[in-house]
PDB file of all heavy atoms in Angstrom:
ATOM      1  N   LEU A 365     -28.185 146.298 179.769  1.00 78.00           N
ATOM      2  CA  LEU A 365     -27.803 147.669 179.446  1.00 78.00           C
ATOM      3  C   LEU A 365     -27.414 148.471 180.677  1.00 78.00           C
ATOM      4  O   LEU A 365     -26.932 149.596 180.556  1.00 78.00           O
ATOM      5  CB  LEU A 365     -28.968 148.372 178.724  1.00 78.00           C
ATOM      6  CG  LEU A 365     -29.420 147.733 177.404  1.00 78.00           C
ATOM      7  CD1 LEU A 365     -30.673 148.425 176.892  1.00 78.00           C
ATOM      8  CD2 LEU A 365     -28.308 147.809 176.366  1.00 78.00           C
ATOM      9  N   GLY A 366     -27.613 147.923 181.853  1.00 76.00           N
ATOM     10  CA  GLY A 366     -27.332 148.634 183.096  1.00 76.00           C
ATOM     11  C   GLY A 366     -28.619 148.968 183.815  1.00 76.00           C
ATOM     12  O   GLY A 366     -29.663 149.198 183.182  1.00 76.00           O
ATOM     13  N   ASP A 367     -28.569 148.996 185.140  1.00 73.00           N
ATOM     14  CA  ASP A 367     -29.789 149.195 185.922  1.00 73.00           C
ATOM     15  C   ASP A 367     -30.457 150.532 185.634  1.00 73.00           C
ATOM     16  O   ASP A 367     -31.687 150.614 185.522  1.00 73.00           O
ATOM     17  CB  ASP A 367     -29.461 149.087 187.418  1.00 73.00           C
ATOM     18  CG  ASP A 367     -29.124 147.659 187.829  1.00 73.00           C
ATOM     19  OD1 ASP A 367     -29.218 146.760 186.964  1.00 73.00           O
ATOM     20  OD2 ASP A 367     -28.757 147.457 189.004  1.00 73.00           O
ATOM     21  N   ASP A 368     -29.668 151.576 185.519  1.00 79.00           N
ATOM     22  CA  ASP A 368     -30.258 152.901 185.321  1.00 79.00           C
ATOM     23  C   ASP A 368     -30.998 152.987 183.992  1.00 79.00           C
ATOM     24  O   ASP A 368     -32.142 153.453 183.923  1.00 79.00           O
ATOM     25  CB  ASP A 368     -29.174 153.982 185.389  1.00 79.00           C
ATOM     26  CG  ASP A 368     -28.581 154.112 186.783  1.00 79.00           C
ATOM     27  OD1 ASP A 368     -29.253 153.688 187.751  1.00 79.00           O
ATOM     28  OD2 ASP A 368     -27.438 154.615 186.904  1.00 79.00           O
ATOM     29  N   LEU A 369     -30.317 152.550 182.916  1.00 82.00           N
ATOM     30  CA  LEU A 369     -30.953 152.609 181.602  1.00 82.00           C
ATOM     31  C   LEU A 369     -32.138 151.663 181.524  1.00 82.00           C
ATOM     32  O   LEU A 369     -33.177 151.990 180.934  1.00 82.00           O
ATOM     33  CB  LEU A 369     -29.927 152.271 180.519  1.00 82.00           C
ATOM     34  CG  LEU A 369     -30.425 152.348 179.071  1.00 82.00           C
ATOM     35  CD1 LEU A 369     -31.028 153.722 178.782  1.00 82.00           C
ATOM     36  CD2 LEU A 369     -29.294 152.042 178.097  1.00 82.00           C
ATOM     37  N   ALA A 370     -32.009 150.482 182.152  1.00 78.00           N
ATOM     38  CA  ALA A 370     -33.118 149.528 182.147  1.00 78.00           C
ATOM     39  C   ALA A 370     -34.337 150.120 182.848  1.00 78.00           C
ATOM     40  O   ALA A 370     -35.480 149.933 182.400  1.00 78.00           O
ATOM     41  CB  ALA A 370     -32.699 148.235 182.819  1.00 78.00           C
ATOM     42  N   ALA A 371     -34.105 150.833 183.950  1.00 80.00           N
ATOM     43  CA  ALA A 371     -35.217 151.447 184.678  1.00 80.00           C
ATOM     44  C   ALA A 371     -35.904 152.522 183.827  1.00 80.00           C
ATOM     45  O   ALA A 371     -37.132 152.642 183.841  1.00 80.00           O
ATOM     46  CB  ALA A 371     -34.713 152.047 185.989  1.00 80.00           C
ATOM     47  N   THR A 372     -35.108 153.293 183.084  1.00 83.00           N
ATOM     48  CA  THR A 372     -35.711 154.315 182.219  1.00 83.00           C
ATOM     49  C   THR A 372     -36.522 153.687 181.090  1.00 83.00           C
ATOM     50  O   THR A 372     -37.441 154.321 180.566  1.00 83.00           O
ATOM     51  CB  THR A 372     -34.628 155.226 181.617  1.00 83.00           C
ATOM     52  OG1 THR A 372     -33.749 154.445 180.796  1.00 83.00           O
ATOM     53  CG2 THR A 372     -33.819 155.910 182.701  1.00 83.00           C
ATOM     54  N   LEU A 373     -36.198 152.459 180.711  1.00 78.00           N
ATOM     55  CA  LEU A 373     -36.944 151.756 179.675  1.00 78.00           C
ATOM     56  C   LEU A 373     -38.183 151.054 180.232  1.00 78.00           C
ATOM     57  O   LEU A 373     -38.917 150.411 179.490  1.00 78.00           O
ATOM     58  CB  LEU A 373     -36.046 150.727 178.985  1.00 78.00           C
ATOM     59  CG  LEU A 373     -34.866 151.289 178.176  1.00 78.00           C
ATOM     60  CD1 LEU A 373     -33.982 150.155 177.672  1.00 78.00           C
ATOM     61  CD2 LEU A 373     -35.380 152.128 177.013  1.00 78.00           C
ATOM     62  N   GLY A 374     -38.389 151.181 181.546  1.00 80.00           N
ATOM     63  CA  GLY A 374     -39.584 150.615 182.156  1.00 80.00           C
ATOM     64  C   GLY A 374     -39.401 149.253 182.782  1.00 80.00           C
ATOM     65  O   GLY A 374     -40.380 148.635 183.208  1.00 80.00           O
ATOM     66  N   ALA A 375     -38.159 148.762 182.866  1.00 81.00           N
ATOM     67  CA  ALA A 375     -37.928 147.447 183.459  1.00 81.00           C
ATOM     68  C   ALA A 375     -38.041 147.523 184.975  1.00 81.00           C
ATOM     69  O   ALA A 375     -37.515 148.447 185.602  1.00 81.00           O
ATOM     70  CB  ALA A 375     -36.548 146.936 183.057  1.00 81.00           C
ATOM     71  N   ASN A 376     -38.704 146.558 185.554  1.00 85.00           N
ATOM     72  CA  ASN A 376     -38.827 146.449 187.012  1.00 85.00           C
ATOM     73  C   ASN A 376     -37.656 145.598 187.512  1.00 85.00           C
ATOM     74  O   ASN A 376     -37.743 144.370 187.555  1.00 85.00           O
ATOM     75  CB  ASN A 376     -40.170 145.822 187.382  1.00 85.00           C
ATOM     76  CG  ASN A 376     -40.444 145.858 188.870  1.00 85.00           C
ATOM     77  OD1 ASN A 376     -39.520 145.849 189.683  1.00 85.00           O
ATOM     78  ND2 ASN A 376     -41.713 145.907 189.229  1.00 85.00           N
ATOM     79  N   ILE A 377     -36.552 146.242 187.878  1.00 83.00           N
ATOM     80  CA  ILE A 377     -35.315 145.529 188.195  1.00 83.00           C
ATOM     81  C   ILE A 377     -35.497 144.559 189.363  1.00 83.00           C
ATOM     82  O   ILE A 377     -35.096 143.386 189.265  1.00 83.00           O
ATOM     83  CB  ILE A 377     -34.176 146.521 188.483  1.00 83.00           C
ATOM     84  CG1 ILE A 377     -33.961 147.457 187.285  1.00 83.00           C
ATOM     85  CG2 ILE A 377     -32.885 145.761 188.790  1.00 83.00           C
ATOM     86  CD1 ILE A 377     -33.582 146.751 186.020  1.00 83.00           C
ATOM     87  N   PRO A 378     -36.085 144.966 190.491  1.00 83.00           N
ATOM     88  CA  PRO A 378     -36.258 143.999 191.593  1.00 83.00           C
ATOM     89  C   PRO A 378     -37.086 142.783 191.192  1.00 83.00           C
ATOM     90  O   PRO A 378     -36.776 141.654 191.577  1.00 83.00           O
ATOM     91  CB  PRO A 378     -36.954 144.826 192.687  1.00 83.00           C
ATOM     92  CG  PRO A 378     -36.578 146.241 192.386  1.00 83.00           C
ATOM     93  CD  PRO A 378     -36.524 146.319 190.896  1.00 83.00           C
ATOM     94  N   LEU A 379     -38.145 142.995 190.417  1.00 89.00           N
ATOM     95  CA  LEU A 379     -38.995 141.879 189.992  1.00 89.00           C
ATOM     96  C   LEU A 379     -38.228 140.947 189.058  1.00 89.00           C
ATOM     97  O   LEU A 379     -38.347 139.713 189.167  1.00 89.00           O
ATOM     98  CB  LEU A 379     -40.247 142.412 189.299  1.00 89.00           C
ATOM     99  CG  LEU A 379     -41.229 141.340 188.796  1.00 89.00           C
ATOM    100  CD1 LEU A 379     -41.731 140.497 189.955  1.00 89.00           C
ATOM    101  CD2 LEU A 379     -42.388 141.996 188.051  1.00 89.00           C
ATOM    102  N   ILE A 380     -37.440 141.519 188.144  1.00 88.00           N
ATOM    103  CA  ILE A 380     -36.660 140.691 187.213  1.00 88.00           C
ATOM    104  C   ILE A 380     -35.649 139.856 187.978  1.00 88.00           C
ATOM    105  O   ILE A 380     -35.475 138.656 187.713  1.00 88.00           O
ATOM    106  CB  ILE A 380     -35.956 141.584 186.169  1.00 88.00           C
ATOM    107  CG1 ILE A 380     -36.991 142.248 185.260  1.00 88.00           C
ATOM    108  CG2 ILE A 380     -34.966 140.766 185.337  1.00 88.00           C
ATOM    109  CD1 ILE A 380     -36.408 143.308 184.349  1.00 88.00           C
ATOM    110  N   ARG A 381     -34.967 140.466 188.936  1.00 84.00           N
ATOM    111  CA  ARG A 381     -33.986 139.724 189.727  1.00 84.00           C
ATOM    112  C   ARG A 381     -34.642 138.622 190.541  1.00 84.00           C
ATOM    113  O   ARG A 381     -34.116 137.505 190.635  1.00 84.00           O
ATOM    114  CB  ARG A 381     -33.232 140.689 190.636  1.00 84.00           C
ATOM    115  CG  ARG A 381     -32.227 141.556 189.885  1.00 84.00           C
ATOM    116  CD  ARG A 381     -31.555 142.533 190.804  1.00 84.00           C
ATOM    117  NE  ARG A 381     -30.484 143.243 190.100  1.00 84.00           N
ATOM    118  CZ  ARG A 381     -29.914 144.361 190.527  1.00 84.00           C
ATOM    119  NH1 ARG A 381     -30.321 144.899 191.674  1.00 84.00           N
ATOM    120  NH2 ARG A 381     -28.957 144.940 189.837  1.00 84.00           N
ATOM    121  N   ALA A 382     -35.784 138.929 191.134  1.00 85.00           N
ATOM    122  CA  ALA A 382     -36.477 137.917 191.934  1.00 85.00           C
ATOM    123  C   ALA A 382     -36.946 136.762 191.055  1.00 85.00           C
ATOM    124  O   ALA A 382     -36.790 135.586 191.421  1.00 85.00           O
ATOM    125  CB  ALA A 382     -37.668 138.550 192.656  1.00 85.00           C
ATOM    126  N   ALA A 383     -37.512 137.071 189.889  1.00 90.00           N
ATOM    127  CA  ALA A 383     -37.974 136.019 188.991  1.00 90.00           C
ATOM    128  C   ALA A 383     -36.810 135.179 188.486  1.00 90.00           C
ATOM    129  O   ALA A 383     -36.918 133.948 188.367  1.00 90.00           O
ATOM    130  CB  ALA A 383     -38.727 136.634 187.807  1.00 90.00           C
ATOM    131  N   THR A 384     -35.680 135.822 188.193  1.00 88.00           N
ATOM    132  CA  THR A 384     -34.501 135.080 187.746  1.00 88.00           C
ATOM    133  C   THR A 384     -33.986 134.170 188.845  1.00 88.00           C
ATOM    134  O   THR A 384     -33.614 133.012 188.591  1.00 88.00           O
ATOM    135  CB  THR A 384     -33.394 136.056 187.305  1.00 88.00           C
ATOM    136  OG1 THR A 384     -33.906 136.927 186.281  1.00 88.00           O
ATOM    137  CG2 THR A 384     -32.189 135.305 186.756  1.00 88.00           C
ATOM    138  N   ALA A 385     -33.952 134.677 190.076  1.00 84.00           N
ATOM    139  CA  ALA A 385     -33.502 133.846 191.198  1.00 84.00           C
ATOM    140  C   ALA A 385     -34.420 132.647 191.390  1.00 84.00           C
ATOM    141  O   ALA A 385     -33.953 131.523 191.625  1.00 84.00           O
ATOM    142  CB  ALA A 385     -33.447 134.688 192.469  1.00 84.00           C
ATOM    143  N   VAL A 386     -35.727 132.852 191.272  1.00 87.00           N
ATOM    144  CA  VAL A 386     -36.671 131.737 191.405  1.00 87.00           C
ATOM    145  C   VAL A 386     -36.437 130.708 190.308  1.00 87.00           C
ATOM    146  O   VAL A 386     -36.426 129.494 190.558  1.00 87.00           O
ATOM    147  CB  VAL A 386     -38.126 132.258 191.366  1.00 87.00           C
ATOM    148  CG1 VAL A 386     -39.111 131.093 191.234  1.00 87.00           C
ATOM    149  CG2 VAL A 386     -38.432 133.060 192.615  1.00 87.00           C
ATOM    150  N   ALA A 387     -36.227 131.182 189.073  1.00 91.00           N
ATOM    151  CA  ALA A 387     -35.986 130.258 187.961  1.00 91.00           C
ATOM    152  C   ALA A 387     -34.713 129.453 188.178  1.00 91.00           C
ATOM    153  O   ALA A 387     -34.685 128.238 187.928  1.00 91.00           O
ATOM    154  CB  ALA A 387     -35.904 131.041 186.651  1.00 91.00           C
ATOM    155  N   VAL A 388     -33.643 130.112 188.636  1.00 89.00           N
ATOM    156  CA  VAL A 388     -32.383 129.402 188.886  1.00 89.00           C
ATOM    157  C   VAL A 388     -32.565 128.339 189.962  1.00 89.00           C
ATOM    158  O   VAL A 388     -32.090 127.200 189.829  1.00 89.00           O
ATOM    159  CB  VAL A 388     -31.273 130.399 189.287  1.00 89.00           C
ATOM    160  CG1 VAL A 388     -30.049 129.662 189.818  1.00 89.00           C
ATOM    161  CG2 VAL A 388     -30.883 131.256 188.094  1.00 89.00           C
ATOM    162  N   ILE A 389     -33.267 128.683 191.035  1.00 86.00           N
ATOM    163  CA  ILE A 389     -33.475 127.722 192.126  1.00 86.00           C
ATOM    164  C   ILE A 389     -34.313 126.537 191.649  1.00 86.00           C
ATOM    165  O   ILE A 389     -34.014 125.375 191.961  1.00 86.00           O
ATOM    166  CB  ILE A 389     -34.133 128.416 193.323  1.00 86.00           C
ATOM    167  CG1 ILE A 389     -33.145 129.413 193.951  1.00 86.00           C
ATOM    168  CG2 ILE A 389     -34.604 127.408 194.358  1.00 86.00           C
ATOM    169  CD1 ILE A 389     -33.777 130.348 194.951  1.00 86.00           C
ATOM    170  N   LEU A 390     -35.364 126.805 190.868  1.00 90.00           N
ATOM    171  CA  LEU A 390     -36.187 125.717 190.340  1.00 90.00           C
ATOM    172  C   LEU A 390     -35.365 124.792 189.445  1.00 90.00           C
ATOM    173  O   LEU A 390     -35.423 123.557 189.569  1.00 90.00           O
ATOM    174  CB  LEU A 390     -37.369 126.283 189.559  1.00 90.00           C
ATOM    175  CG  LEU A 390     -38.491 126.931 190.373  1.00 90.00           C
ATOM    176  CD1 LEU A 390     -39.492 127.608 189.452  1.00 90.00           C
ATOM    177  CD2 LEU A 390     -39.195 125.885 191.228  1.00 90.00           C
ATOM    178  N   LEU A 391     -34.591 125.381 188.538  1.00 92.00           N
ATOM    179  CA  LEU A 391     -33.818 124.582 187.588  1.00 92.00           C
ATOM    180  C   LEU A 391     -32.714 123.793 188.287  1.00 92.00           C
ATOM    181  O   LEU A 391     -32.552 122.589 188.057  1.00 92.00           O
ATOM    182  CB  LEU A 391     -33.223 125.489 186.510  1.00 92.00           C
ATOM    183  CG  LEU A 391     -34.230 126.156 185.571  1.00 92.00           C
ATOM    184  CD1 LEU A 391     -33.545 127.227 184.723  1.00 92.00           C
ATOM    185  CD2 LEU A 391     -34.901 125.127 184.673  1.00 92.00           C
ATOM    186  N   CYS A 392     -31.951 124.479 189.137  1.00 88.00           N
ATOM    187  CA  CYS A 392     -30.833 123.804 189.827  1.00 88.00           C
ATOM    188  C   CYS A 392     -31.339 122.768 190.828  1.00 88.00           C
ATOM    189  O   CYS A 392     -30.778 121.666 190.926  1.00 88.00           O
ATOM    190  CB  CYS A 392     -29.960 124.828 190.542  1.00 88.00           C
ATOM    191  SG  CYS A 392     -29.043 125.899 189.428  1.00 88.00           S
ATOM    192  N   GLY A 393     -32.376 123.122 191.569  1.00 86.00           N
ATOM    193  CA  GLY A 393     -32.898 122.179 192.544  1.00 86.00           C
ATOM    194  C   GLY A 393     -33.439 120.923 191.891  1.00 86.00           C
ATOM    195  O   GLY A 393     -33.154 119.802 192.329  1.00 86.00           O
ATOM    196  N   ALA A 394     -34.202 121.076 190.815  1.00 88.00           N
ATOM    197  CA  ALA A 394     -34.762 119.918 190.130  1.00 88.00           C
ATOM    198  C   ALA A 394     -33.676 119.079 189.478  1.00 88.00           C
ATOM    199  O   ALA A 394     -33.693 117.839 189.562  1.00 88.00           O
ATOM    200  CB  ALA A 394     -35.783 120.375 189.085  1.00 88.00           C
ATOM    201  N   ALA A 395     -32.725 119.732 188.818  1.00 91.00           N
ATOM    202  CA  ALA A 395     -31.653 118.996 188.152  1.00 91.00           C
ATOM    203  C   ALA A 395     -30.792 118.242 189.158  1.00 91.00           C
ATOM    204  O   ALA A 395     -30.414 117.078 188.934  1.00 91.00           O
ATOM    205  CB  ALA A 395     -30.785 119.957 187.336  1.00 91.00           C
ATOM    206  N   THR A 396     -30.473 118.883 190.278  1.00 87.00           N
ATOM    207  CA  THR A 396     -29.641 118.234 191.291  1.00 87.00           C
ATOM    208  C   THR A 396     -30.393 117.091 191.969  1.00 87.00           C
ATOM    209  O   THR A 396     -29.813 116.034 192.238  1.00 87.00           O
ATOM    210  CB  THR A 396     -29.183 119.257 192.346  1.00 87.00           C
ATOM    211  OG1 THR A 396     -28.505 120.330 191.684  1.00 87.00           O
ATOM    212  CG2 THR A 396     -28.234 118.620 193.346  1.00 87.00           C
ATOM    213  N   ALA A 397     -31.670 117.279 192.232  1.00 85.00           N
ATOM    214  CA  ALA A 397     -32.454 116.202 192.832  1.00 85.00           C
ATOM    215  C   ALA A 397     -32.519 114.986 191.911  1.00 85.00           C
ATOM    216  O   ALA A 397     -32.499 113.847 192.377  1.00 85.00           O
ATOM    217  CB  ALA A 397     -33.865 116.699 193.149  1.00 85.00           C
ATOM    218  N   ALA A 398     -32.575 115.224 190.595  1.00 88.00           N
ATOM    219  CA  ALA A 398     -32.710 114.119 189.649  1.00 88.00           C
ATOM    220  C   ALA A 398     -31.401 113.395 189.393  1.00 88.00           C
ATOM    221  O   ALA A 398     -31.372 112.168 189.289  1.00 88.00           O
ATOM    222  CB  ALA A 398     -33.272 114.636 188.324  1.00 88.00           C
ATOM    223  N   ALA A 399     -30.299 114.133 189.257  1.00 88.00           N
ATOM    224  CA  ALA A 399     -29.046 113.520 188.798  1.00 88.00           C
ATOM    225  C   ALA A 399     -27.859 113.794 189.695  1.00 88.00           C
ATOM    226  O   ALA A 399     -26.752 113.343 189.385  1.00 88.00           O
ATOM    227  CB  ALA A 399     -28.728 114.000 187.376  1.00 88.00           C
TER     228      ALA A 399
END
C-alpha cells in the first residue's frame, strides 16, 4: 500500500525489509548451493 500508509497501519517497514532480505538470502543461497 506504500510506506507511509503501511506505517500508519502499524507496520515496521525496516523490520519487514530486513526479514524479507534474510528470507531471500536463505532461499537463494540454499537453492543455489543444492542445484
Side-chain angles (χ1 to χ4, degrees):
L365 300 173
D367 290 356
D368 293 339
L369 182 55
T372 62
L373 294 174
N376 188 332
I377 303 299
L379 180 60
I380 293 171
R381 286 177 173 164
T384 304
V386 169
V388 169
I389 292 168
L390 287 172
L391 293 169
C392 291
T396 304

